[in-house]
């Protein structure tokens, strides 16, 4: 899978569609795939929320992501913020737990991230940076969610090219 830096950062006059994400789930009676999916979706909720400002709170990602995934998401948000680009709307997800390794406390999640309505705009003018897409923009995503002690976090996140799913 080709890794593409997709950054999504900024603030818009639009209120966030997802105002806050819940803390990362800890080990409980829930199945590993359920906990992993909750953490994955929580991470994306934070990314979408923080993409609406040019002053993202990178620490908001820490309950959900670690290692490469945390670095990737933070750098993506930082790049957009430095470019003065913010987002409106939000990505749409269809994640599925694909490979559950209960012994290794790891779950692989495959997703098709639809960013068609997650538009980029200039933070100052509010004008779209690119035209609204005429065709859906979907990218294959693969994430590894690992448990370290009692906490599940996304440890690896890879995004494919537009049109990869």
């Amino acid at each position: 899978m080709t890794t593409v830096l997709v950054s999504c950062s900024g603030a818009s006059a639009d209120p966030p569609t997802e105002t806050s994400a819940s803390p990362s789930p800890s080990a409980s009676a829930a199945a590993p795939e359920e906990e992993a999916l909750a953490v994955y979706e929580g991470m994306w909720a934070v990314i979408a929320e923080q993409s609406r400002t040019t002053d993202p709170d990178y620490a908001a990602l820490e309950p959900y992501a670690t290692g490469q995934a945390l670095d990737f998401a933070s750098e993506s948000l930082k790049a957009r913020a430095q470019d003065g680009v913010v987002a409106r709307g939000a990505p749409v997800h269809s994640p599925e737990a694909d490979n559950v390794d209960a012994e290794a406390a790891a779950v692989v999640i495959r997703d098709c991230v639809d960013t068609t309505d997650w538009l980029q705009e200039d933070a100052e003018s509010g004008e779209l940076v690119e035209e609204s897409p005429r065709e859906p923009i979907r990218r294959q995503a693969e994430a590894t969610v690992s448990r370290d002690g009692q906490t599940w976090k996304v440890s690896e996140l890879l995004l494919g090219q537009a049109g990869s799913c």
Side-chain angles (χ1 to χ4, degrees), residues 76-123:
S76 296
L77 289 167
K78 183 178 182 179
R80 291 289 180 196
Q82 288 175 342
D83 290 343
V85 175
V86 296
R88 73 168 86 145
V92 177
H93 300 274
S94 53
E96 295 181 8
D98 185 50
N99 185 6
V100 179
D101 186 343
E103 285 185 32
V107 177
V108 173
I109 295 178
R110 298 197 193 288
D111 191 3
C112 183
V113 182
D114 185 339
T115 60
T116 306
D117 295 324
W118 198 20
L119 304 174
Q120 301 175 47
E121 63 183 37
D122 181 273

Side-chain angles (χ1 to χ4, degrees), residues 8-10 16-24 38-53 56-65 70 73-74 77 90-91 93 118:
C8 25
S9 141
T17 55
E18 298 175 14
T19 57
S20 66
S22 59
S24 62
V39 168
Y40 176 81
E41 291 169 350
M43 178 194 68
W44 274 106
V46 170
I47 291 170
E49 181 178 334
Q50 295 303 315
S51 73
R52 295 180 179 92
T53 179
D57 177 8
Y58 308 110
L61 288 165
E62 292 175 4
Y64 303 95
L70 178 61
S74 296
L77 289 167
H93 300 274
W118 198 20

Side-chain angles (χ1 to χ4, degrees), residues 110-140:
R110 298 197 193 288
D111 191 3
C112 183
V113 182
D114 185 339
T115 60
T116 306
D117 295 324
W118 198 20
L119 304 174
Q120 301 175 47
E121 63 183 37
D122 181 273
E124 290 185 24
S125 70
E127 295 196 22
L128 289 177
V129 173
E130 298 173 351
E131 280 188 41
S132 294
R134 294 177 187 183
E135 299 289 323
I137 300 173
R138 296 186 183 110
R139 300 174 192 280
Q140 180 180 6

